[in-house]
Amino acid sequence: MTKQQQPAVFYCNAALFDCDGTLVNSTGAISEFWREFGKTRPHVNPEEIIRTSHGCRTFDVIKKWSPEDAEPVQVTEWEGNIPDSFGQHAKAIPGSVELVKAFDKYSEQTHDGKQKWAVVTSGTLPLATKWLKLLTIEKPDVFITAEKVTKGKPHPMGYQNARETLGYGSEHAKVVVFEDAPAGIEAGEKAGAMVVGICSTYDPEKVRKAGANIVVKDLSSFRIEGYNKETEEFKVVVDEYFYADPVFLEESA
């Protein structure tokens, strides 16, 4: 159970969302893909991959475990077929669709009317596009997928690129990253963002130790209370959480 206590509050100029494990619980689908992949490759240990590689690019995992299969076009095709073959094992993270659409709606009220949120995923464009379609989320203007970076998470390249493209690359800008995997949390932290850790894949203690500033079960207790055009900041309130850095509790005091 999450703690029932005073809400946590934070302010941000922009929000960056991971996809798998943050917007969609695709663990079951991805796990089935790796098990199928390992059936014809004795040198591959699917269960070890499932245990250790969440949040990493599929290409990087295949390059490590089965280098002969590390062909970008082929890997992209395999990933793109995951929702079609194993989509029945996937479902939305509670509150994810509502929160993304709230940021989208409030973005219309911003100083320039442009989107102030993005998706930064280790998944390929075909895979991530199909997950968003499944969730009825319109593909954002800033959509950083595996093909758009040369260094995957935990490297911060993807989140840094998203910050800069949205116009908040300055270290003084307040950007929040929503992540579930330690690799992604580390990437968000290195990109200079505060990080919300979702416990869809790992337990709260591991998510907290990975560096998340606020740790939650899912995104169902988040609400945007408004947007300040002068500071270009959203006010976000979190009613239930496992852990929150004290500074975010002081904001609501």
Side-chain angles (χ1 to χ4, degrees):
M1 294 294 289
T2 53
K3 297 179 180 179
Q4 298 292 330
Q5 55 182 26
Q6 71 182 91
V9 177
F10 64 88
Y11 298 83
C12 63
N13 301 119
L16 311 179
F17 293 88
D18 173 45
C19 187
D20 295 87
T22 298
L23 298 179
V24 59
N25 188 338
S26 58
T27 301
I30 301 298
S31 297
E32 290 305 309
F33 163 75
W34 285 121
R35 291 181 180 118
E36 188 68 24
F37 182 79
K39 285 182 179 179
T40 55
R41 297 166 178 83
H43 56 288
V44 171
N45 184 337
E47 300 308 319
E48 182 65 13
I49 292 176
I50 293 167
R51 189 181 69 82
T52 61
S53 68
H54 185 73
C56 300
R57 296 190 302 174
T58 301
F59 179 83
D60 293 335
V61 178
I62 289 179
K63 186 177 180 180
K64 174 182 177 180
W65 283 88
S66 189
E68 64 273 19
D69 290 309
E71 204 286 313
V73 174
Q74 180 62 75
V75 173
T76 298
E77 181 180 341
W78 284 334
E79 267 210 3
N81 288 331
I82 290 175
D84 301 322
S85 301
F86 308 109
Q88 69 272 23
H89 299 285
K91 58 184 179 180
I93 296 294
S96 63
V97 176
E98 292 81 1
L99 182 58
V100 168
K101 291 185 176 181
F103 271 110
D104 207 30
K105 179 181 177 181
Y106 273 95
S107 289
E108 297 174 2
Q109 303 175 21
T110 61
H111 63 289
D112 58 7
K114 295 183 179 179
Q115 286 182 333
K116 299 296 182 290
W117 66 279
V119 170
V120 180
T121 175
S122 296
T124 56
L125 181 62
L127 174 66
T129 299
K130 288 182 180 180
W131 285 146
L132 293 188
K133 184 177 181 180
L134 181 71
L135 299 174
T136 70
I137 294 175
E138 292 291 330
K139 186 168 69 173
D141 296 334
V142 179
F143 194 26
I144 309 295
T145 56
E147 302 93 333
K148 294 186 177 182
V149 297
T150 56
K151 297 179 180 179
K153 302 171 185 177
H155 195 280
M157 179 182 289
Y159 284 121
Q160 289 172 333
N161 289 352
R163 287 190 65 151
E164 292 168 3
T165 305
L166 288 172
Y168 294 105
S170 167
E171 62 180 20
H172 301 295
K174 298 178 181 178
V175 177
V176 58
V177 162
F178 292 87
E179 267 283 0
D180 70 303
I185 292 170
E186 181 179 342
E189 186 178 26
K190 287 181 177 178
M194 68 158 287
V195 182
V196 171
I198 298 99
C199 299
S200 59
T201 311
Y202 300 97
D203 64 72
E205 188 62 23
K206 184 163 186 174
V207 172
R208 179 183 175 183
K209 286 183 176 179
N213 302 105
I214 297 177
V215 180
V216 296
K217 178 181 179 181
D218 52 43
L219 299 176
S220 60
S221 65
F222 284 71
R223 50 193 167 91
I224 301 176
E225 283 203 344
Y227 177 79
N228 187 320
K229 288 187 178 182
E230 292 185 3
T231 61
E232 300 181 20
E233 293 176 354
F234 298 91
K235 179 182 179 180
V236 184
V237 179
V238 190
D239 291 311
E240 296 184 12
Y241 49 87
F242 290 112
Y243 169 79
D245 285 348
V247 64
F248 302 115
L249 303 181
E250 293 170 4
E251 296 282 0
S252 64

